Amino acid sequence: MSRDVTVAEERARLAAADLLAAANELIARLTMKPEDTQDEVDAAVLSRRFTSYALSGRLDDAWKDVDFASRARTEIGSISASLSGLSAAVNEDAAAAQAELIGRLDALAAECERRAVVLRS
Protein backbone atom coordinates (compact mmCIF):
# COMPACT_ATOMS: atom_id res chain seq x y z
CA MET A 1 0.00 0.00 0.00
CA SER A 2 1.38 3.41 -0.89
CA ARG A 3 2.11 6.14 1.61
CA ASP A 4 -0.70 8.28 0.12
CA VAL A 5 -3.22 5.57 0.95
CA THR A 6 -1.95 5.18 4.50
CA VAL A 7 -1.98 8.94 5.12
CA ALA A 8 -5.47 9.38 3.66
CA GLU A 9 -6.88 6.47 5.69
CA GLU A 10 -5.32 7.70 8.94
CA ARG A 11 -6.50 11.28 8.41
CA ALA A 12 -10.05 10.11 7.67
CA ARG A 13 -10.15 7.76 10.67
CA LEU A 14 -8.83 10.45 13.02
CA ALA A 15 -11.21 13.08 11.67
CA ALA A 16 -14.22 10.78 12.10
CA ALA A 17 -13.13 9.86 15.64
CA ASP A 18 -12.61 13.54 16.48
CA LEU A 19 -16.05 14.45 15.15
CA LEU A 20 -17.63 11.68 17.19
CA ALA A 21 -15.80 12.86 20.32
CA ALA A 22 -16.82 16.49 19.75
CA ALA A 23 -20.45 15.53 19.18
CA ASN A 24 -20.57 13.29 22.25
CA GLU A 25 -18.97 16.00 24.37
CA LEU A 26 -21.55 18.55 23.23
CA ILE A 27 -24.41 16.10 23.82
CA ALA A 28 -23.14 15.41 27.34
CA ARG A 29 -22.91 19.13 28.03
CA LEU A 30 -26.35 19.90 26.64
CA THR A 31 -28.10 17.03 28.42
CA MET A 32 -26.45 17.56 31.81
CA LYS A 33 -28.86 17.54 34.74
CA PRO A 34 -28.39 19.43 38.01
CA GLU A 35 -27.63 16.19 39.84
CA ASP A 36 -24.84 15.45 37.34
CA THR A 37 -22.75 18.49 38.27
CA GLN A 38 -19.45 17.59 39.86
CA ASP A 39 -17.74 20.97 40.18
CA GLU A 40 -18.06 24.70 39.58
CA VAL A 41 -17.37 24.32 35.86
CA ASP A 42 -20.29 21.93 35.43
CA ALA A 43 -22.50 24.30 37.42
CA ALA A 44 -21.48 27.23 35.21
CA VAL A 45 -22.17 25.22 32.04
CA LEU A 46 -25.57 24.21 33.39
CA SER A 47 -26.38 27.78 34.41
CA ARG A 48 -25.44 29.10 30.96
CA ARG A 49 -27.61 26.49 29.32
CA PHE A 50 -30.63 27.60 31.34
CA THR A 51 -30.05 31.29 30.63
CA SER A 52 -29.10 31.19 26.95
CA TYR A 53 -31.17 30.74 23.84
CA ALA A 54 -28.08 30.27 21.65
CA LEU A 55 -27.81 26.55 22.36
CA SER A 56 -31.37 25.58 21.46
CA GLY A 57 -30.72 23.86 18.08
CA ARG A 58 -27.25 22.54 18.83
CA LEU A 59 -28.39 19.23 20.32
CA ASP A 60 -30.06 18.17 17.07
CA ASP A 61 -26.92 19.14 15.16
CA ALA A 62 -24.77 17.09 17.52
CA TRP A 63 -26.95 14.00 17.04
CA LYS A 64 -26.77 14.47 13.26
CA ASP A 65 -23.01 14.67 13.50
CA VAL A 66 -22.89 11.45 15.55
CA ASP A 67 -24.82 9.76 12.73
CA PHE A 68 -22.54 11.30 10.10
CA ALA A 69 -19.39 10.19 11.95
CA SER A 70 -20.75 6.65 12.29
CA ARG A 71 -21.58 6.48 8.58
CA ALA A 72 -18.17 7.96 7.73
CA ARG A 73 -16.40 5.30 9.83
CA THR A 74 -18.32 2.58 8.03
CA GLU A 75 -17.50 4.07 4.64
CA ILE A 76 -13.84 4.46 5.58
CA GLY A 77 -13.72 0.77 6.48
CA SER A 78 -15.30 -0.12 3.16
CA ILE A 79 -12.88 2.10 1.24
CA SER A 80 -9.93 0.60 3.14
CA ALA A 81 -11.03 -2.89 2.15
CA SER A 82 -11.34 -1.78 -1.47
CA LEU A 83 -7.91 -0.17 -1.38
CA SER A 84 -6.39 -3.35 0.02
CA GLY A 85 -7.79 -5.26 -2.93
CA LEU A 86 -6.46 -2.68 -5.37
CA SER A 87 -2.96 -2.64 -3.91
CA ALA A 88 -2.23 -6.06 -5.40
CA ALA A 89 -3.12 -4.94 -8.92
CA VAL A 90 -0.62 -2.82 -10.82
CA ASN A 91 -2.26 -1.24 -13.86
CA GLU A 92 -3.78 2.06 -14.97
CA ASP A 93 -7.33 1.13 -13.94
CA ALA A 94 -6.19 0.20 -10.44
CA ALA A 95 -4.22 3.44 -10.13
CA ALA A 96 -7.22 5.51 -11.24
CA ALA A 97 -9.54 3.66 -8.83
CA GLN A 98 -7.02 4.11 -6.02
CA ALA A 99 -6.78 7.85 -6.71
CA GLU A 100 -10.57 8.12 -6.68
CA LEU A 101 -10.84 6.30 -3.36
CA ILE A 102 -8.10 8.45 -1.83
CA GLY A 103 -10.04 11.50 -3.00
CA ARG A 104 -13.16 10.16 -1.26
CA LEU A 105 -11.18 9.59 1.95
CA ASP A 106 -9.87 13.15 1.76
CA ALA A 107 -13.40 14.48 1.23
CA LEU A 108 -14.72 12.52 4.23
CA ALA A 109 -11.86 13.76 6.40
CA ALA A 110 -12.42 17.38 5.36
CA GLU A 111 -16.16 17.19 6.08
CA CYS A 112 -15.59 15.56 9.48
CA GLU A 113 -13.00 18.21 10.35
CA ARG A 114 -15.34 21.00 9.27
CA ARG A 115 -18.22 19.62 11.33
CA ALA A 116 -16.02 19.18 14.42
CA VAL A 117 -14.90 22.83 14.18
CA VAL A 118 -18.52 23.97 13.94
CA LEU A 119 -19.49 21.90 16.99
CA ARG A 120 -16.65 23.33 19.03
CA SER A 121 -17.35 26.95 18.09
Side-chain angles (χ1 to χ4, degrees), residues 40-53:
E40 294 83 21
V41 175
D42 288 347
V45 167
L46 191 62
S47 174
R48 180 166 187 259
R49 198 176 85 215
F50 287 134
T51 59
S52 175
Y53 294 107

Side-chain angles (χ1 to χ4, degrees), residues 49-71:
R49 198 176 85 215
F50 287 134
T51 59
S52 175
Y53 294 107
L55 302 175
S56 60
R58 306 247 357 232
L59 186 58
D60 290 338
D61 292 341
W63 281 114
K64 289 176 187 174
D65 286 334
V66 166
D67 291 340
F68 182 83
S70 298
R71 287 192 316 271

Side-chain angles (χ1 to χ4, degrees), residues 13-46:
R13 287 183 198 283
L14 289 174
D18 184 50
L19 175 59
L20 190 58
N24 284 330
E25 180 182 322
L26 184 61
I27 290 168
R29 217 175 343 143
L30 294 177
T31 58
M32 184 186 315
K33 298 175 185 156
E35 59 269 14
D36 296 334
T37 58
Q38 297 177 2
D39 56 19
E40 294 83 21
V41 175
D42 288 347
V45 167
L46 191 62

Side-chain angles (χ1 to χ4, degrees), residues 89-105:
V90 181
N91 59 39
E92 287 182 24
D93 292 338
Q98 186 177 27
E100 183 179 329
L101 291 173
I102 289 172
R104 181 62 186 146
L105 285 172

